[in-house]
Amino acid sequence: MAAGAVVVSAMGATAVFLLFCSPVLGFPAGYFSGDSASCGYKSCPATRPSMLNVHLVPHTHDDVGWLKTVDQYYYGDRNNIQHAGVQYILDSVVEQLQLDPARRFIYVETGFFYRWWKQQNSATQRVVTQLVNEGRLEFINGGWCMSDEATTHYSAVIDQMTLGLRFLNDTFGACGRPRVAWHIDPFGHAREHASLFAQMGYDGLFFGRLDYQDKARRIKDKDMEMVWRASASLLPPAADLFTGVLPNGYNPPPGFCWDQLCNDPPIRDDPDLEDYNVDSVVKNFLEIANNQASMYKTNHIIMTMGSDFQYENANMWYKNLDKLIRYVNAQQSKGSQVNLLYSTPSCYLQELHRANLSWSVKTDDFFPYADGPHDFWTGYFTSRPALKRYERLTNSLLQVCNQLEVLGGPESRRGPHGEGDSETLRRAMAVAQHHDAVSGTEKQHVANDYAKRLATGWAHCEPLVSNALTTLSGSENQQTYCLNLNISVCPVSEGQNKFSLTVYNPLSRSVSWAVRLPVNGSRYSVSDPSGRAVESQVIPVSKETRRIREDKGYAVNELVFQVEAPPVGFRTYGISLVPNSPAPAGPSPVAPPFIENQYLRVTFDPETGLVSSLTNLETKQKVQLKQNFYWYNASVGNSDSSQASGAYIFRPNSSTPLLVNSAAKIQVVQNSLVQEVQQQFSPWVSQVVRLYRESRHLELEWTVGPIPVEDSCGKEVITRLDTSISSSGLFYTDSNGREMLERLKDYRPTWDLKQSEPVAGNYYPINSRLYIKDKENQLTVVTDRSQGASSLQSGSLEIMLHRRLLRDDWRGVGEPLSEPGDNNEGLVVRGRLLLLLTPPATAADAHRPLSEEMVLQPLLALQAAQLHPNPQLEFSGLQAALPPAVHLLTMSQWDQDSMLLRLEHQFEAKESETHSQTVTINLQKLFSTLEVVGVSEMNLAANQWKDDMERFDWKTSTGEQPLPRAPTDPSPWEVTLKPMEIRTFLLRTQRRWPIPRTARQG
Ligand SMILES: [Zn+2]
């Protein structure tokens, strides 16, 4: 639809439906799509078609935290750890760019640029704006950070890209919009990232790291540049992304590094002085350029002239690059066919596009990444498991905060509970997506800083959430959010005899959860909003939880009951102590032969206490299932030739993991709501096998740590599930929590793998799930954070849960990964795996919604005080639940009158007979308290109108023609979603006050 078109809705004259464009929202002309005469591709320098053109790309790679915190890097603090100061880099580059209009620079990490920009005076800001408008300073990638690709969830990646790109749009208009994705450093590349970049409108992607065998094959075959077909569901070219492998990682060619951090000789061009070297520099460079050209298809090559935190003294680089260009190009008069120019990745990409060649098509991903036969970067898939979980949990909190900011209106930012905001958390989450943040590859003090930022971000959200709940419920009671429920700590439920619990559900369908609250009483009565009694049970807090809390004075019991909450809304339950009740029965030490509810039966081996089989009672499927815990003994790598396991690299010293224990000590809790078999394997490994009455999945809650290292063995702890499923080496892992990829042991789809690490070389990242299957049975494991996983035998799945290492792996972090925890004895980590046993044909019908529930959890708000006399106890922000195939991915305030909405079809094509169908959503009938008065569709990153999104089309060796984009929406406000499609809208809304009773449902 064209921006600015006006449609009168069927609702009648009062509801004029505007498809608004920028003036309506108050955006300056050109904000999203204006085409400045001098930036973008139009600003690219001239090239020489008959020559080899060498695109010299001055750049800096600025990690948003790694060896130092993000702020230490910005200021150049703690230079004793690493000499790096981003503020000086930007100061120096801006000064140097002004000296010569031919000079170019790209900047990538908006999280840093934002810090610098707001400290500049208006004169400097004007200069920078002009440099941007003339394409001399070009933003590339443009997310808040350069996200990790193995351990991030797509939801948080989209958010961090949106945040960075919006700042660039706000600040520079269309000239600030990056054309190229630039993931030069992440340690392997996810297909879903490529798909997202394509949907964000990028014309291409360049990266530096790929498996060394893959790279050798690509060099040999001149296949360093390709079209990545990044979705099996979206029709080409929607998820096609031109992808280029850079020749030297992201470094300059050897001998040509002229930063103050480098030691290469400068160009000495005065023949009167000593060591004149122009002739040898030119000769050397021409050799390197011609050699590089032999690996690529066109007469254009790219050289990354920069590296980590370079250009702090940009004069050194530019002075030598000026000379290099001058002296090499001077050879053209003597017949040289090599032409050097200052350039950018987008200018290089434009030349590749102009070459009009056919490119190979890639459909798998770039995991795992190895830089040598024993150097698989598969350890970081699991490194810092607590930070990985905290990041994922915080994503859920951010989505709740975003939604309630919309639903609560302006009062949510300033109200009875104080001032709150969502930006602080949005920025903290964006920083946490960096490839040395959630990846777990940073120093310990930096990991602490990321966690602190997340906590601070939530502290800013808390008043906002409380204010919004007050607006929607009418109750001004103090809300308390208990974020330590995984260790049964929550002061309100522990200390009060009478309290209430509000359950906020961020999903677009009604969901039921089992809630566990720490309490000190023995019996409670629980009532729902209509006053009906809700069945509840009290069980003692487990011995294991008491151990890891190191407690005196915490709750002794847990109150368990089932809650339900409406879509994008809440329900409030009343809870009061029933006095003088007998203490709950303690656990029984006798393992039952099985536990079951109406859906599942789990049997246990009476000798060992281990799970022995799993039966789906609805489908009458049964598989043998033995599950236990093991650890790989980490290689210590005493010499250069022997690689150690570390924060990045997983290298066990044997392919056979060691058993923690062949049998578990058992304690059993069984009541009408939940059955738990608590298994103790060792002082540092335990698990609860848990089945709730209403649940179609089995929950395995594992607790690992402190991992003992007194025996001088670094340990990489896994759980392994050995089943009777005939999976023959095939297994399936998700990509950033979205589409699934097929994996085959010891195999790569695009080259002949010479396998040199039988375990580590078969590990892949999982962000939300993995599964194995045969004709009858599929076992799907849904996880609560990103982890490494594999299948090394038919029927077997293994997931790495925690790792503690004694050596550094020589990839730069300079610390062994040995998280000390609070007490310096080693970090204890707890998490959950959810198991589903289904027929393969209906597996997605179960694992898609289950994973959605794992990612977006309900927020529990407790109120100690007596409730306001007549509060609303139930509310839904939607008029009705969305269809099961649809996920409400984003609902957040964009500006005063508009919100950003993303709707996602969460099923793949052909994945589900029931749900892999096109669905239609009526945006006007979406919200209960908001009237949608205007809608405009954006690209995925919300930095361009969808209709203005024009990308390069690329010819592929497979020869098929790209399909035209088919208009499928029945009307402007009825939008269709096809499998795996995400659609992004700016909605202009008006609030319906007072809140209709139907919305409150109370
Ligand atoms: Zn980096």
Side-chain angles (χ1 to χ4, degrees), residues 145-148 152 156-157 160 391 429-435 437-438:
C145 71
M146 183 184 296
S147 55
D148 183 59
T152 44
V157 173
Q160 81 90 6
E391 181 276 333
M429 272 298 288
V431 164
Q433 305 312 307
H434 168 59
H435 58 270
V438 65

Side-chain angles (χ1 to χ4, degrees), residues 61 63 185 250 308 434-436:
H61 176 67
D63 290 307
D185 196 24
Y250 52 92
D308 292 3
H434 168 59
H435 58 270
D436 296 301

Side-chain angles (χ1 to χ4, degrees), residues 48 50-56 282 285-291 293 299 301 303 324-333 335-341:
R48 309 195 68 163
S50 61
M51 292 190 180
L52 173 64
N53 293 279
V54 183
H55 294 249
L56 301 174
V282 168
F285 187 86
L286 287 172
E287 235 174 72
I288 287 174
N290 285 314
N291 180 48
N299 64 328
I301 58 174
M303 288 187 185
L324 182 73
I325 293 169
R326 176 160 22 113
Y327 292 122
V328 173
N329 287 354
Q331 297 295 309
Q332 292 168 7
S333 63
S336 166
Q337 291 292 304
V338 176
N339 182 46
L340 268 60
L341 59 146

Side-chain angles (χ1 to χ4, degrees), residues 460-472:
H460 280 250
C461 269
E462 266 192 26
L464 186 158
V465 167
S466 296
N467 289 335
L469 290 175
T470 290
T471 301
L472 300 171

Side-chain angles (χ1 to χ4, degrees), residues 721-899:
L721 294 83
D722 297 311
T723 75
S724 52
I725 295 172
S726 309
S727 58
S728 358
L730 280 173
F731 59 111
Y732 301 81
T733 61
D734 68 282
S735 185
N736 296 130
R738 233 160 93 78
E739 294 191 35
M740 302 300 296
L741 287 168
E742 184 177 272
R743 311 294 188 182
L744 177 60
K745 191 187 162 206
D746 297 330
Y747 176 79
R748 305 286 187 267
T750 49
W751 83 90
D752 290 327
L753 174 69
K754 204 168 148 236
Q755 185 60 281
S756 42
E757 280 289 326
V759 177
N762 282 308
Y763 259 66
Y764 290 89
I766 60 168
N767 311 106
S768 63
R769 77 209 80 180
L770 83 162
Y771 60 78
I772 50 171
K773 63 179 181 177
D774 57 21
K775 279 202 179 69
E776 286 79 37
N777 301 305
Q778 175 165 331
L779 181 73
T780 309
V781 181
V782 170
T783 186
D784 62 351
R785 75 197 72 195
S786 296
Q787 290 164 319
S790 190
S791 170
L792 299 172
Q793 306 288 334
S794 183
S796 176
L797 284 177
E798 65 180 66
I799 299 169
M800 190 180 289
L801 304 174
H802 193 5
R803 48 204 313 257
R804 189 176 189 194
L805 305 168
L806 302 168
R807 305 293 170 127
D808 178 48
D809 55 7
W810 294 97
R811 292 305 185 281
V813 72
E815 275 182 9
L817 182 74
S818 178
E819 297 173 278
D822 277 350
N823 57 10
N824 266 332
E825 287 172 12
L827 185 65
V828 184
V829 183
R830 172 172 278 181
R832 291 186 301 152
L833 301 171
L834 308 183
L835 271 52
L836 287 164
L837 176 64
T838 58
T842 55
D845 299 350
H847 71 67
R848 288 286 173 194
L850 184 62
S851 172
E852 190 190 29
E853 286 169 39
M854 191 68 124
V855 171
L856 286 188
Q857 301 198 343
L859 178 75
L860 304 184
L862 285 89
Q863 303 98 41
Q866 288 297 312
L867 284 172
H868 183 276
N870 188 22
Q872 293 300 327
L873 300 177
E874 185 159 355
F875 167 84
S876 173
L878 299 188
Q879 290 188 22
L882 297 185
V886 179
H887 175 56
L888 177 64
L889 178 59
T890 307
M891 174 178 165
S892 74
Q893 200 68 35
W894 180 265
D895 61 15
Q896 212 178 335
D897 322 298
S898 59
M899 67 182 275

